[in-house]
């Protein structure tokens, strides 16, 4: 496959600019330094502005009345008592908003999903506990909550579907609860299995968990009739898409609606999607002509914000006598929940398209059964589709090693794609994009990981502890992530007359440090202090386009656009410097914000960027003949994602009496192509690991047989705290820069989550001395006690030779 050029220089002015990088030694290296984050001062001073901090005069407060049954037909909703309650301005049910279209999903090649989208208030049927059935608007949040308790909902209870593996039922007349089956594959899968020396088969499952942000969701809407402008505060992640789609739903031009992003107390994929509540506050601001505020409580967050994961896989591998893969066949069931939300089938699609990871697989066939269930709707959560399939694939590789009688690490080595094969094109797609692994040295990273661990010494320590009766084990998992989702991104960069820079971007900030990363890239290209770069983000009134913050795309896409804009500013500044200083451009450079001769120069022989901006100010005669202002836009285009990769290693100890697991040590090795700010990447990895460990050992949304959620408080939904976090060693490498962008960048936000479940499962197998024992996540103490009972107390401890790392 021929790779497209990573940058399409389509803007007329950009065609005149040399974007080749300046000589590296001319600049202080800003990229690659762990500089202090720009975002943090207001947060550590307690001066942040979250959705809950936004208030307007005369505002109303919204409270949602939610279904108390998992599946049922609405017979009646009595709102009379609520309307008579003190301070109540309005109460809406489904009939009051029947003219508003359901919430759409983003573009997908999968057809037939539209009837499954969620209305902003239930229309005759409820499909999960938490489904919005009415909205109450009152003078303060307490009055709204009191009035909401007076709304009486009469529902005819229908049998719920709670397991995606059950036979599909009726969703609507003529439509079943299986909207689609996503099929992908290549090669002669039947021949692969016919020729196989052995066939390895596993049944595996991943539980339901999600991102649980520090700040629950919130939205504040205000309509300014004097400007005919509708505003929504509390946006995140996909502000421009949300603006455009909400405008369409409300029948307004997008130019008459603006979304504002403040500080966000954690995103993780679940914050910033378009939910019913976002549309309701905006509609209410228009209809009631008063600002409307809504902030969910934690119980709502746990039962109404997007869940994720919950898949059931029936997977087989055909192998030869050396443990090499001949083919993989997989059938899995994806539990979507009550409705199709904004992500559509993306998680199931990525699971099907990205399952194979770093391994060479001659033939592949997958069928993903995308099914509706009467649970909270599901969507993306950090490393969606990859957390699930890395667990499945790495469990399969451990089973292949056991079947072939070889070391689990050797089984992986024999199947890894070689660095000389890059770029490696698979006949698959994910998110509508062909899967082309752009660069990587998978075996090389594995070697570095073993060196970092001092592997032989570690095995000796484990052997000694087992001999003393401890249940300890080590597990490995290898993975490939995806990042840099296109198709485009733009920024606008301006140098003002003081020499400070303003960078306006349509990317979103959900705590990942994007302001600092973009400022570093800008400073690197222009030879300025990164602290002089002010990043403006999360405001649709400031920039017409934006793709937000998702899919580990910001550093790759927005960073590359920033580089292009900065190089255009650099070229223009050197042009003016050449005129003023009387030297050819190729004899000039920019250092410390100053244009000067390459051979050096004093103040009399140089010119600052501030002076260039003053020279080009339209009030100056010198600006004549030039476009006014020192400003530029940068557009970056990419037709393919890029693929960072890594290795997780977990060391665990099982308490034989309680079944409790202590993660004693953890290593994440991750190749990001080029690290803009290593310390921020390390923080991203450790934070992601905490969420990955949660899904492996603690976090689980459970339901009873009627569909009632059993985890709606932190007493039942158990999250990782600092006490449970192990010592984490992070090894960031830059061995395989991406050829798809000028800086070689790859995303880093999801690598700490991706392989955590797989590594923990392998380590628990190793500690138990029972290959293949762990087949489901999360692994709760009761399950380990059952396995320990099977193992038998009289069994002798393992030796490290029984399982070398998996």
């Amino acid at each position: 496959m021929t790779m497209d050029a990573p940058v399409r220089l389509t803007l007329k002015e950009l065609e005149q600019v040399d974007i080749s990088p300046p000589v590296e030694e001319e600049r202080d290296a800003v990229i690659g330094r762990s500089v202090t984050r720009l975002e943090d001062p207001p947060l550590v001073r307690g001066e942040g502005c979250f959705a809950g901090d936004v208030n307007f005069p005369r505002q109303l407060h919204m409270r949602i009345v939610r279904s108390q049954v998992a599946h049922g037909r609405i017979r009646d909703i009595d709102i009379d008592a609520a309307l008579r309650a003190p301070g109540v301005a309005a109460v809406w049910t489904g009939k009051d908003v029947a003219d508003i279209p359901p919430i759409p999903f983003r573009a997908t090649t999968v057809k037939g999903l539209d009837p499954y989208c969620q209305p902003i208030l239930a229309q005759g049927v409820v499909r999960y506990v938490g489904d919005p059935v009415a909205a109450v608007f009152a003078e303060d949040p307490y009055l709204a909550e009191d009035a909401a308790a007076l709304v009486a909902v009469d529902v005819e209870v229908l049998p719920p579907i709670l397991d995606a593996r059950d036979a599909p039922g009726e969703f609507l007349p003529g439509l079943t609860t299986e909207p689609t089956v996503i099929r992908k594959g290549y090669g002669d899968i039947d021949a692969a299995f016919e020729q196989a020396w052995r066939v390895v088969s596993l049944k595996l499952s991943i539980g339901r968990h999600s991102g649980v942000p520090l700040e629950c969701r919130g939205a504040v809407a205000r309509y300014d009739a004097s400007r005919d402008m509708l505003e929504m505060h509390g946006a995140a992640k996909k502000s421009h898409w949300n603006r455009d789609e909400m405008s369409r739903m409300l029948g307004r031009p997008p130019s008459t609606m603006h979304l504002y992003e403040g500080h966000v107390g954690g995103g993780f994929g679940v914050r910033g999607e378009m939910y019913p509540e976002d549309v309701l506050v905006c509609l209410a601001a228009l209809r009631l002509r008063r600002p409307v505020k809504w902030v969910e409580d934690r119980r709502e967050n746990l039962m109404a914000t997007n869940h994720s994961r919950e898949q059931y896989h029936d997977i087989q591998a055909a192998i030869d006598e050396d443990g090499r893969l001949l083919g993989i066949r997989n059938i899995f069931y994806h539990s979507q929940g009550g409705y199709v939300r904004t992500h559509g089938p993306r998680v199931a699609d990525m699971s099907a398209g990205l399952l194979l990871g770093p391994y060479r697989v001659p033939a592949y066939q997958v069928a993903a059964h995308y099914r509706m269930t009467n649970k909270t709707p599901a969507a993306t959560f950090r490393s969606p589709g990859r957390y699930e399939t890395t667990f499945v694939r790495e469990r399969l590789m451990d089973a292949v090693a056991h079947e072939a009688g070889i070391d689990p690490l050797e089984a992986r080595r024999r199947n890894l794609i070689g660095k000389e094969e890059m770029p490696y094109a698979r006949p698959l797609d994910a998110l509508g994009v062909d899967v082309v692994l752009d660069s990587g040295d998978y075996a090389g990273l594995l070697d570095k990981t073993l060196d970092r661990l001092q592997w032989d010494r570690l095995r000796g320590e484990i052997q000694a502890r087992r001999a003393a009766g401890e249940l300890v084990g080590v597990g490995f998992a290898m993975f490939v992530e995806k990042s840099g989702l296109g198709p485009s991104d733009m920024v606008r960069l301006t140098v003002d007359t003081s020499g400070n820079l303003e960078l306006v971007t349509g990317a979103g900030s959900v705590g990942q440090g994007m302001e600092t990363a973009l400022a570093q890239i800008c400073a690197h290209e222009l030879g300025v202090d990164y602290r002089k770069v002010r990043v403006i983000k999360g405001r649709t009134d400031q920039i017409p386009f934006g793709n937000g913050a998702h899919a580990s795309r910001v550093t790759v896409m927005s960073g590359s656009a920033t580089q292009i804009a900065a190089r255009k500013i650099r070229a223009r500044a050197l042009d003016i410097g050449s005129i003023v200083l009387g030297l050819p451009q190729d004899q000039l450079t920019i250092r410390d914000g100053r244009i000067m001769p390459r051979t050096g120069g004093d103040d009399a022989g140089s010119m600052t960027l501030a002076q260039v901006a003053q020279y080009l100010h339209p009030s100056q005669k010198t600006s004549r003949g030039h476009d006014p202002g020192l400003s530029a836009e940068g557009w970056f285009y990419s037709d393919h994602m890029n693929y960072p990769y890594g290795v997780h290693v977990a060391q665990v100890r099982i308490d034989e009496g309680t079944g409790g697991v202590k993660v004693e040590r953890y290593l994440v090795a991750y190749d990001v192509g080029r690290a803009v700010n290593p310390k921020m990447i390390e923080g991203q990895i450790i934070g992601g690991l905490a969420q990955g460990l949660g899904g492996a050992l603690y976090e689980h949304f459970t339901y009873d047989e009627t569909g009632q959620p059993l985890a709606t408080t932190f007493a039942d939904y158990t999250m990782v705290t600092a006490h449970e976090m192990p010592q984490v060693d992070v090894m960031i490498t830059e061995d395989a820069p991406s050829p798809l962008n000028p800086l070689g960048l790859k995303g880093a936000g999801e690598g700490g989550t991706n392989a955590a479940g797989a590594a923990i499962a392998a380590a628990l197998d190793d500690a138990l001395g029972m290959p293949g024992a762990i087949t489901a996540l999360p692994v709760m103490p009761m399950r380990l006690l059952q396995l320990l009972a099977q193992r038998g107390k009289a069994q002798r401890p393992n030796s490290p030779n029984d399982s070398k790392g998996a």
Side-chain angles (χ1 to χ4, degrees), residues 69-120:
V69 300
H71 189 205
R73 190 173 291 109
I74 299 174
R75 289 189 286 225
D76 183 56
I77 304 177
D78 185 348
I79 63 173
D80 290 345
L83 282 170
R84 293 193 299 268
V88 173
V91 180
W92 293 351
T93 65
K95 65 182 181 181
D96 296 297
V97 296
D99 58 320
I100 305 300
I103 295 173
F105 49 83
R106 294 197 277 279
T108 176
T109 58
V110 177
K111 305 300 181 186
L113 300 181
D114 295 82
Y116 298 86
C117 290
Q118 183 169 13
I120 60 174

Side-chain angles (χ1 to χ4, degrees), residues 296-569:
E296 73 179 351
D297 62 30
R298 184 58 67 182
R299 182 172 183 272
E300 286 182 295
N301 177 262
L302 291 172
M303 72 179 185
T305 297
N306 287 341
H307 290 179
S308 199
R309 318 298 192 209
E310 196 177 1
Q311 291 181 352
Y312 304 89
H313 290 253
D314 189 347
I315 191 166
Q316 296 178 309
I319 63 172
D320 67 16
E321 59 272 22
D322 295 320
R324 290 187 172 85
L325 296 168
L326 303 176
I328 290 177
R329 180 188 285 136
N330 187 30
I331 298 173
F332 73 91
Y333 300 88
H334 178 89
S335 178
Q336 172 55 30
Y339 297 97
V340 173
R341 281 191 172 164
T342 46
H343 288 88
R346 287 181 168 221
V347 178
D349 180 73
M350 284 189 288
S351 298
L354 299 175
L355 181 141
L356 303 179
Y359 305 116
R360 189 184 303 102
V361 182
Y364 176 58
Q365 182 186 82
V366 61
H369 292 264
Y370 181 80
R371 291 185 171 175
M372 315 305 293
T373 51
N374 295 116
K375 298 180 178 179
T376 301
T380 59
F381 167 44
R382 208 168 189 168
S383 198
R386 284 92 72 201
Y387 184 90
E388 300 93 313
T389 55
T390 294
F391 171 72
V392 169
R393 180 190 64 252
E394 295 300 295
R395 291 277 72 199
L396 186 66
M397 293 305 297
D398 288 336
V400 166
H402 183 68
E403 185 68 27
I406 58 177
D407 185 276
L409 295 178
E410 180 58 29
R412 287 165 170 80
R413 286 188 188 278
R414 292 180 187 182
N415 289 286
L416 288 174
I417 298 165
K419 65 178 180 179
E420 70 282 356
E421 299 176 79
M422 298 294 175
Y424 188 87
R426 294 197 194 277
L428 295 171
D429 67 274
L431 299 178
V433 179
D434 292 337
V435 177
V436 182
L437 305 179
D438 56 318
S439 61
D441 183 2
Y442 305 144
L445 185 61
L446 181 58
D447 289 337
K448 287 187 175 183
T449 301
L450 294 173
D451 287 343
R452 181 82 159 223
L453 290 168
Q454 299 182 359
W455 179 233
D456 290 337
R457 176 181 173 184
L458 177 60
R459 286 197 306 174
E461 293 173 353
I462 294 294
Q463 180 181 18
R465 293 178 64 184
R466 285 177 177 166
E470 289 189 80
L471 295 177
V472 291
V474 180
F476 279 77
M478 299 187 70
F479 69 100
V480 173
E481 251 298 338
K482 66 108 184 100
S483 69
L485 180 66
S488 63
D489 224 301
M490 63 105 44
V491 303
R492 185 174 63 250
L493 181 62
T494 302
V495 182
D496 68 20
T497 54
S498 72
N500 286 281
L501 294 88
E502 179 183 84
L503 178 67
V504 184
T505 174
S509 176
V510 289
Q512 76 274 46
M514 57 83 76
E515 295 100 314
T516 302
L518 297 188
Q520 284 184 255
I521 292 170
C522 180
H524 181 80
E525 294 297 328
L526 285 175
V528 299
D529 187 336
Y530 82 104
R531 291 168 293 189
K532 300 187 76 172
V533 182
R534 178 181 174 85
V535 178
I536 307 297
K537 45 76 185 174
R539 292 189 55 170
T540 63
D541 62 336
Q542 293 290 307
I543 191 167
F545 305 103
N547 272 306
H550 64 108
S552 293
R553 70 181 309 278
V554 173
T555 302
V556 175
M557 297 298 298
S558 305
S560 296
T562 296
Q563 182 192 40
I564 291 168
R567 288 181 176 180
K568 291 164 70 174
I569 292 283

